Amino acid sequence: MTSPVTTRRSGDIAVVTIDNPPVNALGHAVRAGLATELAALGADGTVAAIVLTCAGRTFIAGADITEFGKPMQPPGLHEVIQQIGQMAKPVVAAIHGTALGGGLELALGCHYRIALASAQFGLPEVKLGLLPGGGGTQRLPRVLGVIPALEIMTSGEFIGAETALVGGLIQRIVPDLDAAALAFAREIAADRPLPLVANDDGKLAEARANPGMIDEFARSIARRSRGFKAPAAIIDCVKAALAKPIAEGLAYERERFMELMRSPESAAQRYAFFAEREAGKVPGLPSDTPVRPIRHAAVIGAGTMGGGIAMNFANAGIPVTLIETGAEALERGLKTIRANYEATAKRGGITPAEAEARIARITGSLKLEDAAAADIVTEAVFEDMGLKKELFGKLDRIVRPDAILASNTSTLDVDEIAASTSRPERVLGTHYFSPANVMKLLEIVRGKKTEPSVLATLMTLARKLKKVPVVVGVCYGFVGNRMLHRRSSQVESLLIEGASPAELDQALLDFGFPMGPCAMADLAGIDVGWRIRQGLGLKDAVSDRLYDAGRLGQKTGAGFFRYEPGNRTPIPDPAVDAIIAAAAAEKGVTRHPIPQDEILARLLYPMINEAAHILEEGIALRASDIDIVWFYGYGWPVYRGGPMYWADHVGLGTIRDGLRKMADKLGDARLTPAPLIERLAAAGQGFLGSKA
Ligand code: T1G
């Protein structure tokens, strides 16, 4: 097998190139190839300096994640970095694309780093439930200082070349990597001593003099790190960098790294990494399916969803026309958009100039005809079938024949909407999640007649809008909302039987959700749920009473909980306990305490059962897509792997038995285990194909 690492000479400079597509991951062959080439070049007296570079679209994007969980084959990354550290001639890392994880750690082990202006740098291991295990926790603080290093390692976010240069992470930004790398290597070839990050503690001094600094940082990230093990381990490693000599710090880092590697949380997060990439692949939609360019968009409806959707297009540089029926509603919508951008600029998320540029890309209009030039028109009007069909009929006569018509419906039949046009093949659903400019999930609802190029166009557009696309079929509530309905229906029966809103919410908060079902209903609005139930002819003994009592949630300061003015913290309210007790009495139910694990099973098993039906019906392409929907749309904690992954770890036999008990107890046939669960449980298998 040819090595993915080769060397070419340019006079006394050796250029070592890694070519391991798609992202030059540091798999075994790369590590072994590097060790071999470096050993030879180290011993070659005709070589004055070495350039380390990568072929293809990027520098090394990290260790090879597919090798995790398998026995590690030597040499390890540490050994390769140590080898560079012991060389008597300089090694220059020449960086393009992304230098991530082990890739950045290898570069930090080199004597110099240069990069293109478009290069990005990061240690995103925390997103895999890991820490930078190739010396990153010891070297990055020595280069950037403790707090900037901690921010990069605990957020997993990337920094640009300019920030890297200012911080001292790279020595130069260059226009043309190959030529500049050779020139740079010649320039420094004779410089001694050879600079190594490991030998320079200068930037640790401030933190050593101010030991509280790291604890203060830890407090500042406590909320977003809730439930994750890796951030705290990263902080411990940086504390070790302050307290120990680097060799001991590296050994400590290794130990903590292996501890996380063995953890179920990291296994779940690594599963999520590949599941997200899998969700982007649609069987039967070849990667060369023609995609049409989206140069101009239109959004109908300037309410909360419409405004957020318009911002997505503006953020991606696509001019968008935001169309409303009334001047007041339009003005309100545009005002909200401006306020959102100004708030982001105030927080430093974007510059004020960039905020103005994005606002300028959004044009308000009161005329549907102004959608005529759009490549895609997204409708975000009231959730009513009659209204949507009428609108699509009108749009069909206004927009260009090749334009795409998309509905942001969160529940309705996209095929029925498409049938109200002469172009059902160019109609589909694009279900954004509120707030639409923030939530990453985009359920792309493929209609019976949606043509492949329209689907491919939306998959590409979704990535441009920085969304995670998941293709789903047409049914009531698609994947996410359909499962959520099953959970919501358990909320009512659990409250009637004896649980309090606080107990229900605590069960999901302790599980790792950012919010419980009752607080979520208060945020969305009790009236929203009431209107949907009215439309479906359904009743909810508790929520209907809240609605009748004018307790519409946060917007009225009271719902399942009460809220202090200007504060979103849910406060248990005895008035609600009385409402629930009255509903239970009317049903002749004697309320009793319900243990938390039973509450959790009652909330999660029914939605997993619904997911099994969704898979059986082909509404979701694969089980892991359902997990992606719940990560990015409903706040399922990624370190638990998503409902399908979690169900497999609980065991489908246990889920089946739990559902059977619930179905018997509640007399609710919808809780009868789905045939897929029966089949897989009987075979000892899981949703994800593995042995349960
Ligand atoms: N290992 C193996 N495969 C990888 C990979 C990796 N590190 N990164 C990407 N791939 C595959 C991916 O599955 C997909 O495959 C293809 O490459 C394109 O990826 C010791 C322990 C680099 C920003 O966490 O963030 O180093 O689906 O679709 O959108 O401390 O990939 O085509 O078959 O995502 O252009 C740390 C992970 C590892 C970075 C490119 N590194 N990668 O994004 O393409 S842990 C990371 C990314 C580590 C050390 C530790 C992104 C990207 P397929 P893609 P993209």
Side-chain angles (χ1 to χ4, degrees):
M1 199 178 87
T2 51
S3 167
V5 184
T6 54
T7 299
R8 66 181 168 83
R9 293 290 296 268
S10 173
D12 59 357
I13 307 298
V15 180
V16 174
T17 304
I18 297 168
D19 189 1
N20 184 32
V23 293
N24 290 311
L26 276 166
H28 173 246
V30 172
R31 299 191 311 269
L34 277 173
T36 307
E37 297 298 324
L38 290 169
L41 296 170
D44 183 339
T46 66
V47 174
I50 299 165
V51 170
L52 179 59
T53 189
C54 288
R57 64 182 170 129
T58 181
F59 191 75
I60 303 161
D64 187 336
I65 307 170
T66 63
E67 289 185 351
F68 291 173
K70 300 173 191 149
M72 209 286 289
Q73 291 182 286
L77 175 56
H78 274 277
E79 289 154 79
V80 176
I81 295 175
Q82 207 169 17
Q83 197 181 350
I84 294 174
Q86 290 159 350
M87 296 194 77
K89 57 196 80 176
V91 180
V92 179
I95 298 165
H96 72 296
T98 52
L100 305 176
L104 179 55
E105 291 170 303
L106 182 68
L108 282 168
C110 294
H111 303 100
Y112 300 94
R113 289 153 295 283
I114 65 169
L116 293 180
S118 56
Q120 294 196 299
F121 306 81
L123 292 175
E125 287 84 345
V126 72
K127 294 191 175 172
L128 301 168
L130 297 169
L131 55 80
T137 68
Q138 305 303 302
R139 291 192 174 85
L140 195 66
R142 282 177 163 82
V143 174
L144 295 179
V146 164
I147 299 302
L150 278 171
E151 267 155 5
I152 289 171
M153 292 189 283
T154 58
S155 69
E157 299 307 317
F158 305 168
I159 61 169
E162 201 48 54
T163 310
L165 183 68
V166 172
L169 185 58
I170 59 174
Q171 282 69 42
R172 196 169 294 170
I173 292 180
V174 296
D176 157 22
L177 205 58
D178 294 350
L182 288 173
F184 184 90
R186 290 208 169 89
E187 197 183 307
I188 52 85
D191 294 1
R192 293 295 181 280
L194 293 172
L196 275 177
V197 171
N199 303 339
D200 178 359
D201 278 15
K203 292 232 178 137
L204 301 183
E206 187 197 356
R208 283 185 175 140
N210 175 0
M213 177 192 265
I214 296 186
D215 294 332
E216 197 185 322
F217 176 82
R219 282 190 294 277
S220 74
I221 64 161
R223 198 179 143 85
R224 70 174 152 103
S225 309
R226 192 172 71 92
F228 292 92
K229 288 195 173 149
I234 290 168
I235 288 171
D236 291 346
C237 287
V238 173
K239 284 184 176 172
L242 298 182
K244 300 172 191 281
I246 187 145
E248 289 176 33
L250 289 170
Y252 179 77
E253 176 196 89
R254 189 91 201 124
E255 195 191 306
R256 298 302 302 271
F257 175 79
M258 291 316 293
E259 184 191 297
L260 291 175
M261 178 68 87
R262 287 188 293 270
S263 73
E265 289 80 6
S266 178
Q269 288 179 257
R270 295 184 328 245
Y271 155 76
F273 175 84
F274 290 111
E276 182 175 334
R277 274 129 196 100
E278 213 48 33
K281 300 167 188 159
V282 181
L285 193 70
S287 55
D288 61 355
T289 304
V291 164
R292 75 170 271 122
I294 303 292
R295 284 179 284 251
H296 188 102
V299 174
I300 318 299
T304 313
M305 290 307 290
I309 295 168
M311 288 175 73
N312 288 321
F313 285 103
N315 295 349
I318 301 171
V320 52
T321 306
L322 183 58
I323 302 173
E324 245 307 342
T325 46
E328 220 181 295
L330 181 60
E331 200 196 319
R332 199 170 40 242
L334 291 171
K335 222 165 135 208
T336 306
I337 290 171
R338 171 168 284 281
N340 283 339
Y341 278 126
E342 286 172 352
T344 308
K346 203 156 167 229
R347 278 197 314 273
I350 53 175
T351 64
E354 178 55 23
E356 286 308 323
R358 294 181 185 192
I359 292 167
R361 285 189 202 114
I362 303 175
T363 310
S365 162
L366 295 172
K367 291 190 300 167
L368 209 51
E369 292 67 29
D370 288 344
D375 299 300
I376 183 168
V377 182
T378 305
E379 154 284 303
V381 301
F382 198 60
E383 190 74 344
D384 174 83
M385 183 57 94
L387 179 66
K388 291 186 192 285
K389 286 166 77 171
E390 188 197 338
L391 175 63
F392 271 67
K394 286 185 188 154
L395 287 168
D396 188 33
R397 293 186 290 278
I398 290 169
V399 300
R400 288 205 319 269
D402 58 353
I404 295 172
L405 295 180
S407 170
N408 181 53
T409 177
S410 55
T411 55
L412 299 176
D413 185 333
V414 169
D415 290 324
E416 190 178 339
I417 295 172
S420 64
T421 73
S422 63
R423 61 179 79 208
E425 72 287 353
R426 306 197 69 74
V427 175
L428 78 179
T430 51
H431 179 209
Y432 293 83
F433 288 73
S434 183
N437 56 310
V438 177
M439 296 296 281
K440 288 187 76 174
L441 180 66
L442 181 60
E443 277 185 325
I444 297 181
V445 187
R446 172 169 39 184
K448 273 201 211 67
K449 298 192 175 159
T450 304
E451 72 185 20
S453 76
V454 168
L455 191 59
T457 299
L458 259 294
M459 295 298 281
T460 305
L461 176 64
R463 292 192 190 95
K464 187 162 183 190
L465 301 182
K466 301 227 178 318
K467 300 296 180 193
V468 176
V470 176
V471 175
V472 299
V474 174
C475 68
Y476 187 83
F478 316 126
V479 169
N481 280 349
R482 180 170 161 183
M483 291 168 69
L484 185 66
H485 282 303
R486 284 287 159 267
R487 190 180 85 182
S488 307
S489 61
Q490 287 304 313
V491 168
E492 185 210 0
S493 50
L494 282 161
L495 291 171
I496 294 283
E497 283 170 49
S500 69
E503 283 169 337
L504 291 192
D505 280 20
Q506 200 57 48
L508 289 193
L509 288 169
D510 291 351
F511 185 79
F513 277 91
M515 190 178 269
C518 299
M520 197 163 127
D522 280 352
L523 176 67
I526 300 295
D527 51 328
V528 175
W530 183 84
R531 252 198 304 280
I532 291 175
R533 284 193 303 281
Q534 292 293 304
L536 296 169
L538 296 174
K539 289 209 170 310
D540 180 314
V542 175
S543 300
D544 290 351
R545 276 183 166 76
L546 294 177
Y547 178 82
D548 297 340
R551 300 179 66 101
L552 305 185
Q554 282 191 15
K555 57 184 147 192
T556 57
F560 279 104
F561 299 100
R562 69 177 180 81
Y563 301 84
E564 295 294 344
N567 190 321
R568 292 169 180 267
T569 310
I571 304 165
D573 188 341
V576 175
D577 300 336
I579 286 175
I580 298 170
E586 192 184 274
K587 287 180 181 275
V589 173
T590 310
R591 304 184 73 223
H592 56 86
I594 305 177
Q596 195 184 69
D597 57 353
E598 184 184 336
I599 290 175
L600 195 65
R602 288 274 300 271
L603 290 174
L604 301 185
Y605 287 16
M607 43 181 273
I608 289 163
N609 197 36
E610 196 61 29
H613 288 299
I614 286 170
L615 277 175
E616 286 161 348
E617 295 163 24
I619 299 293
L621 292 172
R622 51 185 82 85
S624 59
D625 284 7
I626 297 175
D627 289 341
I628 296 298
V629 165
W630 276 81
F631 293 145
Y632 288 115
Y634 300 85
W636 182 288
V638 66
Y639 53 81
R640 291 193 188 273
M644 311 313 273
Y645 180 97
W646 181 76
D648 280 3
H649 283 72
V650 169
L652 292 191
T654 304
I655 304 260
R656 174 201 55 204
D657 301 345
L659 285 165
R660 285 181 180 160
K661 272 204 213 102
M662 289 178 206
D664 293 347
K665 178 178 174 188
L666 302 169
D668 183 345
R670 291 171 306 176
L671 296 171
T672 308
L676 178 62
I677 289 181
E678 291 285 3
R679 205 169 49 247
L680 291 171
Q685 292 201 324
F687 288 121
L688 298 163
S690 58
K691 275 260 169 247

